[in-house]
Amino acid sequence: MEEFHKTRRLPPYVFEQVNKLKAAARAQGADIIDLGMGNPDLPTPPHIVEKLTEVVTDPRTHRYSASKGITGLRKAQAAYYERRFGVKLNPNTQVIATLGSKEGFANMAQAITAPGDVVLSPNPSYPIHTFGFLMAGAAIRSIPAKPGPEVFHALERAVIHSVPKPIAVIMCYPANPTAYVADLEFYKDVVAFARKHDIFILSDLAYSEIYFGDTPPPSMLQVPGAIEVTAEFTSLSKTFSMPGWRVGFAVGNERLIAALARVKSYLDYGAFTPIQVAATAALNGPDDCIAEMRATYKRRRDVLVESFGRAGWEIPAPEASMFAWVPIPEKFKALGSLEFSKLLLEKADIAVSPGIGFGEYGDDYVRIGLVENEQRLRQAARNLRRFLETADETLHNVVPISASR
């Protein structure tokens, strides 16, 4: 049967191929060290769980909730932005709760996109940044993922050569998958460009609290005038280790937030009220749990870089996020990221995410998540060493599918 129009616009899900191999290997008893999915393994802080269990016993909280988020939650997010970024937001008109930042992005695409609209997105980037808009009927034009002059050269070309003119540009720093970071000076230039050309900015700030240096990542909304053109998306998934709770936010430009709120009002009733109350407690509560989370990921990053480096695979140390964006070893580069990921799973019991899943410019890389403890990372390094020691023999028996690359 012919595929439906919107599903025809979606390519096969690259990660599913690795997931199937992973499941098959585990079924055969293999001990797979899974560094692929960005799924935090740290427990949600106890005070958040306690608030959930307290509130869930009240039958009144079992009713339909508020699609845009309960008032207390929106006020808590506005207070967080003022504390963390010095940005004042109106919780009634400039803040909306979402079912994670992924849902927020997807429904923003539905809210603002007409068929044929052009959206500018980093390549490589998190899949929803592009596919949310593709499903809404947009055309995607790629821009470089790494912040720098090349981004603005691409933006200028896009404005000159795109018909119709782009409606939005997506920014994501700290970046998934590349772990690139951007500073406020870069953001100032992005905002100036967007205001000059009447283009919206959709900023993904989901990894704002996972950084390893002394300078916290900024918000696009810290730039004067940014709120005139910007909606920014955040999530509690990584900040408070709440990935399965599905709580995120969109904040910023009132027109964008109102459009998203209108679409969501037809599609959902918001997260379960006890979850929203617990999320409010998270934002209003102590932040020592955030510092502990950050320190844990930093230790894991250091162990990954050190142990994999000694095993023979140099890992660029990410400055932020919970990922390392790693070039495929030179010997295996001709295979491409998908085949290399399959090989690593088969021969070393290590699962990583193939870079091609984040865009065609990611095919020389894999993404490694800091989602296993330090002992498991060292075990992965031992497996890696044995794999690399037999690399020549392994490659002799592998036919590169992308030898023409």
Side-chain angles (χ1 to χ4, degrees):
M1 293 178 65
E2 186 178 357
E3 280 193 277
F4 296 112
H5 169 69
K6 287 192 176 181
T7 58
R8 279 203 309 269
R9 304 202 81 196
L10 301 176
Y13 195 54
V14 169
F15 305 115
E16 188 58 30
Q17 297 186 46
V18 177
N19 290 340
K20 286 180 178 178
L21 289 176
K22 189 164 54 181
R26 282 177 170 153
Q28 296 296 318
D31 178 20
I32 302 299
I33 302 170
D34 193 350
L35 308 177
M37 189 175 179
N39 194 359
D41 63 315
L42 302 176
T44 304
H47 69 281
I48 302 172
V49 178
E50 288 166 7
K51 177 56 73 173
L52 173 72
T53 55
E54 171 196 327
V55 177
V56 79
T57 59
D58 183 349
R60 293 173 298 177
T61 66
H62 301 174
R63 301 170 183 171
Y64 290 127
S65 193
S67 176
K68 66 186 297 185
I70 61 175
T71 302
L73 180 57
R74 286 182 281 112
K75 286 182 176 179
Q77 175 69 350
Y80 164 76
Y81 256 77
E82 187 162 9
R83 286 194 313 272
R84 173 70 164 78
F85 304 113
V87 173
K88 292 187 177 182
L89 297 168
N90 183 330
N92 295 318
T93 60
Q94 296 175 322
V95 179
I96 185 171
T98 62
L99 304 177
S101 58
K102 187 175 184 179
E103 176 269 326
F105 250 96
N107 279 327
M108 182 66 82
Q110 295 296 325
I112 70 172
T113 308
D117 278 346
V118 176
V119 173
L120 311 178
S121 179
N123 189 339
S125 193
Y126 187 52
I128 198 64
H129 294 158
T130 54
F131 293 116
F133 285 92
L134 284 172
M135 284 188 281
I140 301 297
R141 187 177 182 118
S142 294
I143 60 174
K146 188 173 184 178
E150 296 80 7
V151 171
F152 297 101
H153 296 157
L155 292 176
E156 293 287 355
R157 288 194 301 271
V159 168
I160 293 169
H161 298 295
S162 296
V163 179
K165 186 190 74 175
I167 64 162
V169 58
I170 296 167
M171 292 280 144
C172 178
Y173 303 105
N176 179 8
T178 59
Y180 295 142
V181 295
D183 59 23
L184 209 51
E185 291 304 311
F186 176 78
Y187 282 168
K188 287 177 181 177
D189 290 340
V190 172
V191 169
F193 176 88
R195 294 179 68 185
K196 175 183 176 181
H197 295 287
D198 195 24
I199 295 172
F200 286 120
I201 301 168
L202 303 178
S203 170
D204 187 342
L205 195 59
Y207 296 91
S208 60
E209 299 299 347
I210 307 180
Y211 57 92
F212 308 126
D214 297 327
T215 305
S219 161
M220 187 78 69
L221 294 175
Q222 289 177 242
V223 177
I227 204 162
E228 296 175 16
V229 292
T230 303
E232 191 158 71
F233 298 80
T234 57
S235 168
L236 302 193
S237 296
K238 313 310 189 290
T239 303
F240 293 100
S241 298
M242 297 170 64
W245 300 55
R246 308 312 302 136
V247 181
F249 299 92
V251 307
N253 178 267
E254 291 187 7
R255 183 182 171 200
L256 291 173
I257 299 305
L260 176 58
R262 186 170 182 183
V263 166
K264 281 178 62 61
S265 70
Y266 282 92
L267 297 178
D268 68 68
Y269 288 105
F272 187 35
T273 297
I275 288 178
Q276 295 196 49
V277 174
T280 304
L283 288 167
N284 289 337
D287 59 6
D288 53 342
C289 57
I290 302 177
E292 291 172 11
M293 170 275 298
R294 190 182 300 128
T296 297
Y297 284 126
K298 185 177 188 298
R299 287 194 300 271
R300 291 178 179 184
R301 180 203 67 167
D302 294 345
V303 167
L304 175 73
V305 170
E306 186 270 333
S307 63
F308 275 46
R310 284 194 292 108
W313 190 9
E314 185 175 346
I315 307 292
E319 296 180 47
S321 86
M322 57 188 292
F323 305 111
W325 184 240
V326 188
I328 297 171
E330 197 62 37
K331 283 186 177 181
F332 298 94
K333 191 162 285 187
L335 295 177
S337 60
L338 180 56
E339 292 304 310
F340 174 70
S341 297
K342 291 178 180 180
L343 196 63
L344 200 60
L345 184 63
E346 178 188 350
K347 300 296 184 181
D349 290 339
I350 302 171
V352 298
S353 292
I356 189 67
F358 303 98
E360 66 269 32
Y361 295 111
D363 201 21
D364 288 336
Y365 296 79
V366 295
R367 189 191 74 176
I368 299 178
L370 305 174
V371 292
E372 291 273 13
N373 62 41
E374 294 152 56
Q375 180 181 346
R376 292 283 280 170
L377 290 171
R378 290 192 175 96
Q379 180 183 342
R382 292 191 292 271
N383 294 0
L384 175 68
R385 179 185 292 276
R386 289 192 293 269
F387 165 64
L388 293 177
E389 286 173 350
T390 61
D392 291 335
E393 180 184 343
T394 299
L395 283 170
H396 181 72
N397 296 315
V398 174
V399 178
I401 65 164
S402 52
S404 61
R405 289 171 65 252

